[in-house]
Amino acid sequence: MTSKIKIPRKTKLATSAEVVNSIDDLLMQIFLCLPVKSLMCFKLVSKRWKSLITSPDFRLLRNPDPSAAVGLFYPVRKRCEFEYIHFDFKAPINPPFRKLNFQKEPYPFWIHHSCNGLLLCCSTGNFDLVCSCYVYNPTTKCSTKLPLPGVMNGVPENVYGVNLAFDPAKSPLYKVVCVRDSSLQLADSQFLIGIYSSETRTWRLCGDPFAAMVNFDKGVYWNGAIHWLGIGEGESLYFNIDNQVLDKMPMLPIRYHRNSRSDYFFGQSCGHLHFIETPCSTIRFDVYEMKRDYSEWFVKYQVNLTPVVAANREMIWGHINPMGWYNLVFSVFTVVRGEHEEDSFLVLQSPKKIIRYNLVRKTFESLSKFEDEVVRASLRYPGTSGFEYIKSLCCV
């Protein structure tokens, strides 16, 4: 005897919208086609949509290389405003912002550090003391105020450097590393490290006091650690965030320690740590890269600016001396590693324009020109390396 299958008299057919909404993979494919502004709105539709949009899988699909910079912020001289350079001059976009405004903050803000899509913005009040710090995502326009760095148990201490540590490929959480006075009257123990976690929203001290001669104000996050260059004959250091271990880096090219007239660039791009020394009398220089095991620095690229200078004579200052040298006026804003090796480039600042120089093809092109006149043999933005803009959906 065969069994009969009962068919309900009334079957509710799902609509197309309900079918789409029930399949996470299909929803994610739709979300991938939307601009950031729309995604920010759709996060409010439901907890499930918010979970999909903020998931690590979706962030990785939307941005397979989460550390690829698309532009650069740099401060306008004598004003608390910022200009923006987009690396793809053929497809310009509107600047994400011109000025940093946070509610009920009396002092102007500066970008102190950029890290994989997030900006650490600080303001200084009287006596150049840090009075406020925010972590800001220029893509989503979201921000969060940090407890004041250097204040432990209600007692403030001098702060020498504050840096972001954020790797979206590993975690949506970020940390902030602060180097402050140890508050101990010991000749050989001057500094302490504090860590802020976006998970706990608090600061805590870690490790023992230590002595150092490094530039804590210009740290670079790479390979899970914050890196600082030594000053003079001081040794360069790095602090591993997860292991909370302070260690020494291999010695940099010797000229950096001895030539006080040299300018330099120190930064990372797409998982590569770089160092460049640019003495004012050289037209050729090397781009160094650190091995991930910290065994040594090695020459990754060799740069010859002869064709760039020939096309931009304002970069020459003074007269050619008998040795064939002359002083050049330029600075390195950043090094950007491309998805393909031949797409890697430098961003240079000359007195009249911003220049993109391909490190492999040795070609160059202008990204922007300065409209107003500049003082002869001077840079519009001296003393800055710029701050990279990387699109990120991270919630701060």
Side-chain angles (χ1 to χ4, degrees):
M1 181 177 180
T2 57
S3 59
K4 295 182 179 180
I5 300 176
K6 294 183 179 180
I7 301 176
R9 293 181 180 178
K10 293 183 179 180
T11 302
K12 182 181 179 181
L13 297 177
T15 64
S16 299
E18 291 172 333
V19 172
V20 170
N21 188 49
S22 66
I23 305 174
D24 287 351
D25 290 342
L26 186 54
L27 270 176
M28 291 179 70
Q29 291 301 317
I30 295 173
F31 291 157
L32 287 172
C33 301
L34 299 177
V36 172
K37 186 175 181 180
S38 297
L39 289 175
M40 294 301 100
C41 295
F42 286 168
K43 283 170 59 177
L44 305 176
V45 172
S46 68
K47 291 183 179 179
R48 180 159 156 268
W49 282 27
K50 180 180 179 180
S51 177
L52 288 175
I53 294 172
T54 58
S55 68
D57 290 340
F58 178 75
R59 289 198 303 269
L60 188 60
L61 286 171
R62 185 175 176 85
N63 190 3
D65 188 356
S67 60
V70 297
L72 197 73
F73 300 109
Y74 50 97
V76 178
R77 185 186 293 182
K78 296 182 180 180
R79 289 186 293 171
C80 298
E81 296 181 359
F82 299 86
E83 294 191 14
Y84 175 74
I85 290 294
H86 196 59
F87 292 154
D88 185 1
F89 68 95
K90 296 179 181 179
I93 65 171
N94 292 326
F97 63 87
R98 289 286 189 184
K99 193 171 184 178
L100 294 168
N101 293 309
F102 301 104
Q103 292 185 355
K104 300 181 180 180
E105 294 292 349
Y107 297 106
F109 279 79
W110 299 93
I111 301 175
H112 190 77
H113 189 210
S114 61
C115 185
N116 292 323
L118 300 184
L119 302 178
L120 179 62
C121 308
C122 300
S123 68
T124 55
N126 298 327
F127 310 107
D128 290 331
L129 297 177
V130 175
C131 56
S132 290
C133 283
Y134 283 78
V135 174
Y136 176 59
N137 186 333
T139 303
T140 64
K141 311 299 183 185
C142 297
S143 65
T144 188
K145 186 174 183 178
L146 306 183
L148 197 61
V151 178
M152 305 295 175
N153 299 322
V155 179
E157 297 290 347
N158 290 330
V159 174
Y160 299 97
V162 188
N163 293 103
L164 270 171
F166 174 54
D167 187 350
K170 293 182 178 179
S171 170
L173 302 175
Y174 63 87
K175 294 182 180 180
V176 183
V177 175
C178 165
V179 180
R180 47 157 283 189
D181 266 336
S182 68
S183 73
L184 298 176
Q185 302 302 317
L186 301 175
D188 59 347
S189 299
Q190 303 174 12
F191 307 107
L192 270 176
I193 292 178
I195 297 180
Y196 170 88
S197 170
S198 62
E199 183 176 23
T200 63
R201 305 285 177 176
T202 58
W203 288 97
R204 63 180 179 83
L205 293 175
C206 62
D208 298 321
F210 64 96
M213 292 179 61
V214 302
N215 188 352
F216 289 118
D217 192 47
K218 293 185 178 181
V220 176
Y221 178 70
W222 171 76
N223 204 21
I226 301 291
H227 302 73
W228 300 287
L229 290 182
I231 299 174
E233 298 300 323
E235 294 180 298
S236 299
L237 303 175
Y238 67 95
F239 177 72
N240 187 283
I241 307 295
D242 294 332
N243 300 332
Q244 298 184 17
V245 174
L246 188 68
D247 210 341
K248 300 175 183 177
M249 285 201 301
M251 185 175 293
L252 286 162
I254 193 66
R255 288 184 301 170
Y256 168 73
H257 296 277
R258 296 185 178 180
N259 189 351
S260 60
R261 296 187 64 190
S262 295
D263 194 6
Y264 71 91
F265 167 82
F266 181 54
Q268 77 86 32
S269 175
C270 297
H272 304 273
L273 184 66
H274 302 113
F275 172 79
I276 302 174
E277 184 190 34
T278 55
C280 61
S281 61
T282 186
I283 203 167
R284 296 178 175 87
F285 55 87
D286 297 325
V287 178
Y288 292 87
E289 183 176 340
M290 171 67 75
K291 289 187 175 180
R292 294 189 72 85
D293 62 359
Y294 294 98
S295 58
E296 65 174 346
W297 291 93
F298 65 95
V299 176
K300 178 62 179 178
Y301 305 105
Q302 293 182 316
V303 177
N304 184 350
L305 293 182
T306 300
V308 179
V309 174
N312 300 273
R313 305 299 289 182
E314 73 275 5
M315 295 175 66
I316 300 176
W317 174 50
H319 301 284
I320 298 177
N321 65 27
M323 297 296 293
W325 301 336
Y326 45 81
N327 289 335
L328 297 179
V329 184
F330 74 95
S331 68
V332 177
F333 262 161
T334 193
V335 178
V336 179
R337 298 292 286 267
E339 182 179 356
H340 304 289
E341 185 65 22
E342 61 271 18
D343 296 329
S344 300
F345 59 91
L346 286 175
V347 179
L348 304 171
Q349 175 193 191
S350 78
K352 290 186 177 181
K353 63 183 68 171
I354 304 296
I355 300 168
R356 171 172 169 160
Y357 175 88
N358 188 287
L359 288 163
V360 177
R361 300 189 182 99
K362 311 300 182 184
T363 56
F364 63 94
E365 54 202 355
S366 175
L367 290 178
S368 72
K369 295 181 179 180
F370 304 137
E371 298 297 334
D372 54 337
E373 292 294 327
V374 295
V375 179
R376 174 175 166 79
S378 68
L379 292 176
R380 183 183 176 99
Y381 309 107
T384 180
S385 296
F387 302 94
E388 291 186 341
Y389 174 44
I390 299 173
K391 294 183 179 180
S392 171
L393 295 176
C394 173
C395 298
V396 298

